[in-house]
Amino acid sequence: MARYQAGIRTEARIIDATRELLGEAGLEGTTLKAICERAGVRAGSFYNLFESNDDAVLRVVKDAIRAVDPHPAHDAPDSLHELVEAYISFVMGQPDVARVYLKIAISGATNGSLGSRVERHHHRRVARFSAAIARERPELSPADAEATAEIVLATLSGLAFMWMLDPNFDFAGRARMAATSSTTVV
């Protein structure tokens, strides 16, 4: 039991160190060496818990997204409003992690497994948005609901980029407006 508890504490220190480094040094500065030094663990202990520093980074991102997920257990249908509010909460509540997520998404095509994992997450998010849109607009074909979901997500990401460039930009207001506008266009 003590070994199990020690592993849990080590994992928590690694995740905390990764989160801190992402905020301070960005993705480039969140190296295996930096994570291990910050967490006070050896590389062997790190590799007992994670395959790579990419895994630790993705865990931090997943935890941040899960923290604002309206239905993390997927035990109820999502509304578009809930999903947009969750996106806003993620970006504004965890800007350092959101910045890293968006950066991975942009560079993901050339970033091996990290990029492909973010792409899989994007497809799952599109499916959730699409299902919510289809429930709210049953007259839409499945293809139109999916296209609308892609438009909403692309718009939200673009607005998030703008907010990260200009913190005075009204990201939340524009995100809500864009989601409403996007679902009435198709």
Side-chain angles (χ1 to χ4, degrees):
M1 183 69 130
R3 275 190 144 143
Y4 178 73
Q5 293 297 323
I8 290 172
R9 286 191 300 274
T10 299
E11 182 178 31
R13 286 198 325 263
I14 290 169
I15 293 302
D16 288 344
T18 303
R19 185 179 300 105
E20 291 169 7
L21 284 165
L22 287 170
E24 295 168 13
L27 189 58
E28 297 78 22
T30 308
T31 63
L32 176 67
K33 181 180 179 191
I35 293 169
C36 289
E37 285 177 3
R38 177 72 59 100
V41 300
R42 294 186 177 165
S45 295
F46 179 93
Y47 283 120
N48 283 335
L49 298 164
F50 300 95
E51 288 184 28
S52 68
N53 63 320
D54 286 351
D55 285 337
V57 167
L58 286 175
R59 171 74 177 281
V60 168
V61 171
K62 283 181 188 178
D63 288 351
I65 291 170
R66 192 176 301 119
V68 298
D69 191 321
H71 303 285
H74 306 289
D75 56 353
D78 301 305
S79 72
L80 182 60
H81 173 77
E82 289 174 322
L83 293 171
V84 169
E85 289 302 318
Y87 195 100
I88 292 168
S89 294
F90 170 63
V91 170
M92 296 185 78
Q94 300 265 349
D96 295 331
V97 176
R99 186 175 285 112
V100 167
Y101 177 82
L102 292 168
K103 186 173 186 173
I104 293 169
I106 290 171
S107 66
T110 60
N111 200 355
S113 72
L114 189 58
S116 64
R117 289 159 96 182
V118 169
E119 181 182 359
R120 282 193 305 272
H121 176 262
H122 172 74
H123 290 297
R124 287 190 302 271
R125 182 172 276 177
V126 167
R128 286 180 77 180
F129 272 71
S130 179
I133 290 166
R135 277 190 298 281
E136 292 175 21
R137 302 259 328 268
E139 75 277 7
L140 292 179
S141 70
D144 285 344
E146 183 175 335
T148 303
E150 286 283 7
I151 291 167
V152 169
L153 282 165
T155 302
L156 291 174
S157 295
L159 294 170
F161 287 125
M162 187 61 208
W163 181 71
M164 289 178 183
L165 294 171
D166 177 7
N168 295 317
F169 180 76
D170 182 16
F171 168 67
R174 297 281 175 92
R176 290 178 185 113
M177 183 187 305
T180 302
S181 299
S182 296
T183 58
T184 59
V185 171
V186 174

